[in-house]
Amino acid sequence: MLRANFQTSASYPLMLSIWMLEIFVIPTVVLFVWLTIINSNSNLEESRQQIINYYILLPVVAMFVSAWSGGFLAERIRTGKLSLALTRPFHIFNFYISVNIVEKIVKTLFLFPFILIAAVGFGFSLSVTPIALIAGIFAIILGAAMHIIIDLIIGTLSFWLEEVQALINLFDAIYFALGGRVIPFFFLPLAVQATTKWLPFRYLASFPLEILTHNLSTSDIIVGLAIQIVWIAITYILLKKLWSAGIKKYQAYGD
């Protein structure tokens, strides 16, 4: 599956370039906004390099933790094309996971030139300890696992709902607002931090970036990784139950 999906992904270089440009442009624009704010507020001057590092790495981390299979799964369920997938000798989730892994590898090749240009242009300079680097990579892997499980949960809801695109859009909007895509978690008001600390959105992209750029304490890293693992366990159990219940009621008609 990995080999077949790699050949498919590599067949669309122009489309991948456009997608990676989109992933790169939004954080770059937000970075310009934050640098403008810092220039007008001397109290934030010490955060300049931290903000630059954060938003240079954001497109990479956001790409690695991204998931997009829910809509495709929902379409298969809605149109009855899931029936063919159910006859194959591997679970359809394995297929979507393999697509996710392969496309991220291919997309990295297209995203790297944009990141290199931004790193040179903005003055990227990151100093991270080996332990923080390992913890950050582990947090990215956990964030990716959590995101694809949540994405498949939304797609699985198509067993009961006619359309799940609104749910996908809602999740993406909340993730964009609370996941550190616009405002880093450490800049949010303390009351908001106290609430969102226990929600999954921070742990998709923001938390790995905080480990790499914000010098989190060892205890904060351990607690954050534990929260990621708990959310993965909760969402995985929910996905299994929804899939089992959905398959029992699934019906498809054909010629």
Side-chain angles (χ1 to χ4, degrees):
M1 281 190 292
L2 290 171
R3 184 167 57 250
N5 286 321
F6 180 82
Q7 293 173 347
T8 301
S9 298
S11 300
Y12 304 96
L14 179 60
M15 182 174 64
L16 287 174
S17 298
I18 294 173
W19 284 346
M20 292 305 95
L21 181 60
E22 178 186 4
I23 289 177
F24 168 77
V25 165
I26 295 177
T28 303
V29 172
V30 176
L31 175 55
F32 273 117
V33 173
W34 274 107
L35 290 179
T36 301
I37 295 174
I38 290 174
N39 289 336
S40 62
N41 190 335
S42 59
N43 293 330
L44 296 175
E45 183 61 34
E46 62 182 20
S47 301
R48 173 183 290 274
Q49 189 61 56
Q50 186 180 74
I51 287 294
I52 290 174
N53 294 340
Y54 185 95
Y55 281 102
I56 294 297
L57 291 177
L58 176 56
V60 180
V61 175
M63 187 269 293
F64 276 125
V65 303
S66 61
W68 54 86
S69 300
F72 295 104
L73 175 60
E75 182 182 4
R76 288 197 179 203
I77 296 172
R78 186 173 60 253
T79 61
K81 294 180 179 179
L82 179 65
S83 300
L84 178 60
L86 294 177
T87 64
R88 292 173 177 169
F90 53 84
H91 201 290
I92 190 172
F93 290 169
N94 293 340
F95 168 76
Y96 284 126
I97 291 172
S98 71
V99 171
N100 191 274
I101 293 173
V102 168
E103 286 200 11
K104 287 174 181 177
I105 295 173
V106 176
K107 287 177 178 179
T108 300
L109 302 176
F110 290 87
L111 182 61
F112 179 75
F114 298 120
I115 299 301
L116 182 60
I117 293 172
V120 174
F122 286 102
F124 177 78
S125 177
L126 182 65
S127 177
V128 59
T129 65
I131 294 178
L133 179 61
I134 294 172
I137 294 173
F138 189 49
I140 291 173
I141 294 173
L142 293 178
M146 189 195 316
H147 198 173
I148 195 169
I149 293 172
I150 294 173
D151 189 54
L152 291 173
I153 286 175
I154 297 175
T156 302
L157 291 177
S158 193
F159 283 121
W160 296 274
L161 303 176
E162 288 291 332
E163 182 57 61
V164 298
Q165 187 58 49
L167 292 177
I168 295 175
N169 293 341
L170 176 61
F171 178 85
D172 289 343
I174 299 175
Y175 168 41
F176 194 81
L178 300 180
R181 304 290 294 274
V182 178
I183 303 177
F185 178 81
F186 46 83
F187 276 169
L188 291 173
L190 294 179
V192 178
Q193 289 188 32
T195 302
T196 58
K197 178 180 180 180
W198 306 106
L199 299 178
F201 307 102
R202 175 198 179 195
Y203 300 94
L204 298 177
S206 179
F207 178 62
L209 286 167
E210 292 169 45
I211 295 176
L212 296 173
T213 66
H214 194 52
N215 299 321
L216 291 182
S217 66
T218 302
S219 60
D220 286 338
I221 293 175
I222 293 174
V223 170
L225 293 175
I227 292 174
Q228 283 185 304
I229 293 172
V230 169
W231 271 112
I232 288 174
I234 292 173
T235 52
Y236 178 72
I237 292 171
L238 178 60
L239 176 60
K240 287 192 67 175
K241 290 184 176 297
L242 287 173
W243 182 260
S244 178
I247 286 295
K248 291 178 181 178
K249 74 179 295 297
Y250 172 71
Q251 295 182 359
Y253 301 92
D255 296 332

